[in-house]
Amino acid sequence: MPTRAERPNLMPFQDTQYSWTDDLPVCKQSGVGFSTNQIYREDGYRQEEHSFEDRSFHCRYDDSTFLYGVFDGHEGTNAANFAMQRMAAEILLGQLNGKSTDEEIKEVLRQAFIAVERGYLDSIGDLLAERASLQFDIPDGLNSYETYQKFPHLVDKLNSLNCELSAGASAVVALVYGGRLYVANVGDSRALLCKTDSNQVLRVVQLSVDHDLRNEDELLRLAHLGLDTDSIRQGSHLGNQENTRCLGNYLVKGGYREFEELATATAEPIIAEPEIHGGIELDESCRFLLLMSRGLYKSLEEATGTDQVNKELALIAVEQFRVQSTLTGVAQAVVDKVVRIHHDINMSISQSTVTTGKRDDITLLVRNFNFPLLNALKSPTSQSVRFNPIVETAPIITMPENEDYSSTGLTDENLDGSTSETSTSDMYPPGAKRTDRNARIKSYVNFSEYYENVEKRRREGTLPEGINF
């Protein structure tokens, strides 16, 4: 059997720098920010625990169809990279044709997740075959210590393959179709919709479900499969991961019986079935959407101890909407602020008592609907440009003391984004008329001495070549 180095790559969606989704038109009403994972060192040197495993896309299909996705990979990038490319294909290549009702569109999203899961597991058949061959070569009846003592090279290869087969991803996908919003997710990546209520106060609505061991509905589902949820509650992992749903990770799916806490399940306990919300009509109350990997909200929770992390993230986003000039700037500034908060906490106190001493990958995708981006850069036009500076004053956000969990306390007054013009008297001297601003400007440099010297050099015959006027 050929080795991994010799075997041709049979995975159709491999982890390369180029993806076909790169050719999809980018949605100009969105932006993405990110930060790689970090291990905090006492000397302050930046050290990554692993390569960046998040993936995302934000594309415009036509005037009424937009697709966004954030994929939080674990144990490598294979599953996240595969899902990023295949998900767009399973939604945008004709599957929405003729679909008009919410149920039909939600079914398209559900089938897309199932197709991505099936496609990914089909693509790792060569890894499964090699793994089965290695397991066959190891005699039965040996414990782990004896196996490694007698067959260390086989154990090392088997461990390497198990790491590859453990590659999985959380995913959150948002589809804007026909003026309505649909969100589907598996795992613990989040989607937050920020919209104003009848009192023009900005509210935060979580449109995704965290599929983790704190989710009572998920624990009930596992109990129905025959698992001991009491012991599951006491642990931090289910098999080799924390989530109860994901894309990929064969070992907790087809190979789940190899884990003691999963072996008694009557069916695969970790599934790829998404939770889907929508359709939500995108009216004037819908301001902006945040899609994020768990690294963003987990870092803020860990650093600040807040139990209102969605609200805090929305506030930070609103703050950046008022000072940034692009949506990418907004997204990156939110990420940078959370990273800085987490970094400062880790570098200033005992890591062993409060934090883990490291931070995961972070991705944040911002999709604006109608929230004012006060400092947005305007595209140049063919019209003449006048120098008429405008000073824009961003209103200050105040937080009511008695505000509830989901409110950011942003009123309609804050949303207006009013501006005021400065006086232009400094641009024109006293007595000047504005109607004369395009008149010919009189020369203010005297070249008479230059011309006299040129004539003098010409008479003397010392004028350099090339000067002839």
Side-chain angles (χ1 to χ4, degrees):
M1 176 177 293
T3 66
R4 293 286 294 153
E6 297 169 345
R7 186 175 57 243
N9 191 346
L10 302 179
M11 185 173 291
F13 294 93
Q14 57 184 349
D15 188 13
T16 62
Q17 293 183 348
Y18 175 78
S19 163
W20 77 274
T21 54
D22 295 338
D23 293 330
L24 295 174
V26 174
C27 171
K28 302 298 185 181
Q29 297 162 285
S30 62
V32 179
F34 66 91
S35 179
T36 56
N37 63 89
Q38 183 175 3
I39 298 175
Y40 297 108
R41 295 167 43 127
E42 291 185 3
D43 59 7
Y45 184 81
R46 180 173 179 85
Q47 179 180 343
E48 296 179 4
E49 185 176 20
H50 52 75
S51 61
F52 188 66
E53 295 176 339
D54 285 2
R55 295 292 184 268
S56 65
F57 59 71
H58 49 129
C59 59
R60 169 188 173 275
Y61 184 72
D62 56 37
D63 290 340
S64 63
T65 308
F66 304 82
L67 187 64
Y68 314 90
V70 171
F71 306 89
D72 184 355
H74 57 259
E75 293 297 334
T77 61
N78 285 349
N81 201 59
F82 185 99
M84 174 192 67
Q85 300 182 53
R86 188 67 171 264
M87 189 68 72
E90 293 294 340
I91 297 173
L92 296 179
L93 299 184
Q95 292 86 348
L96 293 170
N97 293 345
K99 306 297 190 298
S100 58
T101 67
D102 287 345
E103 291 306 315
E104 288 176 330
I105 296 168
K106 289 163 71 173
E107 181 61 19
V108 169
L109 290 176
R110 192 187 76 83
Q111 290 295 337
F113 274 73
I114 299 304
V116 169
E117 169 78 352
R118 185 184 305 114
Y120 179 75
L121 294 180
D122 287 346
S123 72
I124 60 175
D126 58 332
L127 299 181
L128 294 175
E130 185 174 351
R131 180 172 180 264
S133 177
L134 290 174
Q135 290 174 326
F136 182 78
D137 291 339
I138 299 176
D140 295 333
L142 300 177
N143 58 36
S144 300
Y145 177 78
E146 293 173 335
T147 301
Y148 190 76
Q149 289 295 314
K150 294 183 178 181
F151 307 98
H153 62 290
L154 295 180
V155 173
D156 288 340
K157 284 186 178 181
L158 191 59
N159 289 337
S160 177
L161 284 172
N162 283 339
C163 285
E164 290 190 72
L165 293 171
S166 296
S170 293
V172 58
V173 173
L175 171 68
V176 174
Y177 184 69
R180 298 176 72 81
L181 172 65
Y182 304 84
V183 173
N185 86 287
V186 293
D188 51 7
S189 296
R190 280 189 185 176
L192 306 179
L193 176 63
C194 300
K195 57 186 301 185
T196 49
D197 62 14
S198 58
N199 296 320
Q200 295 303 308
V201 175
L202 198 67
R203 306 283 177 172
V204 182
V205 182
Q206 183 170 327
L207 298 181
S208 58
V209 176
D210 295 337
H211 298 126
D212 56 28
L213 301 183
R214 297 179 298 177
N215 187 318
E216 292 296 331
D217 290 335
E218 286 296 277
L219 290 175
L220 180 60
R221 180 178 65 81
L222 296 176
H224 288 162
L225 295 177
L227 296 182
D228 182 1
T229 55
D230 289 334
S231 62
I232 290 176
R233 291 176 194 270
Q234 298 173 4
S236 59
H237 284 70
L238 194 62
N240 61 7
Q241 64 171 34
E242 300 178 36
N243 297 329
T244 59
R245 303 191 191 196
C246 73
L247 295 172
N249 195 348
Y250 169 82
L251 291 190
V252 292
K253 292 178 178 174
Y256 72 92
R257 296 190 186 279
E258 297 180 23
F259 294 94
E260 182 178 353
E261 66 270 33
L262 302 179
T264 59
T266 57
E268 290 187 1
I270 313 299
I271 60 177
E273 183 80 18
E275 302 254 11
I276 306 176
H277 293 80
I280 300 170
E281 183 178 358
L282 294 175
D283 54 22
E284 293 184 356
S285 69
C286 297
R287 298 303 190 174
F288 58 89
L289 177 71
L290 304 177
L291 302 183
M292 68 195 72
S293 58
R294 73 188 297 267
L296 184 66
Y297 68 85
K298 287 291 186 183
S299 294
L300 190 58
E301 281 182 335
E302 185 179 87
T304 65
T306 181
D307 59 355
Q308 301 183 12
V309 68
N310 290 348
K311 171 184 171 182
E312 297 297 331
L313 287 171
L315 277 175
I316 297 174
V318 168
E319 172 188 307
Q320 297 305 323
F321 263 99
R322 301 192 181 288
V323 297
Q324 301 298 328
S325 58
T326 65
L327 291 171
T328 296
V330 172
Q332 190 62 54
V334 173
V335 171
D336 290 344
K337 183 167 184 176
V338 172
V339 167
R340 186 169 62 252
I341 292 172
H342 195 267
H343 173 273
D344 290 348
I345 291 294
N346 272 270
M347 299 303 289
S348 62
I349 63 176
S350 174
Q351 298 180 8
S352 62
T353 59
V354 178
T355 62
T356 60
K358 60 184 179 180
R359 175 182 53 75
D360 204 356
D361 294 325
I362 292 177
T363 297
L364 172 64
L365 191 156
V366 177
R367 198 326 183 159
N368 192 21
F369 297 120
N370 55 34
F371 198 84
L373 189 63
L374 299 181
N375 296 313
L377 299 175
K378 305 299 182 182
S379 299
T381 64
S382 59
Q383 299 177 352
S384 60
V385 178
R386 291 181 56 192
F387 181 69
N388 188 14
I390 296 177
V391 175
E392 298 178 337
T393 303
I396 299 175
I397 301 173
T398 57
M399 290 294 297
E401 295 295 332
N402 59 350
E403 195 54 71
D404 63 18
Y405 169 82
S406 60
S407 170
T408 65
L410 188 65
T411 64
D412 189 46
E413 181 182 13
N414 299 119
L415 293 173
D416 289 342
S418 59
T419 61
S420 59
E421 296 192 9
T422 62
S423 171
T424 57
S425 60
D426 292 340
M427 299 187 331
Y428 301 97
K433 297 180 180 180
R434 290 199 179 193
T435 55
D436 297 335
R437 66 183 183 276
N438 294 323
R440 186 186 182 97
I441 300 176
K442 294 181 179 181
S443 64
Y444 53 88
V445 178
N446 189 345
F447 287 95
S448 59
E449 184 178 356
Y450 170 77
Y451 290 127
E452 290 175 359
N453 288 327
V454 169
E455 288 301 323
K456 180 181 178 181
R457 297 288 294 274
R458 180 181 285 115
R459 289 193 300 270
E460 295 174 351
T462 59
L463 184 68
E465 296 182 2
I467 299 180
N468 184 21
F469 52 84

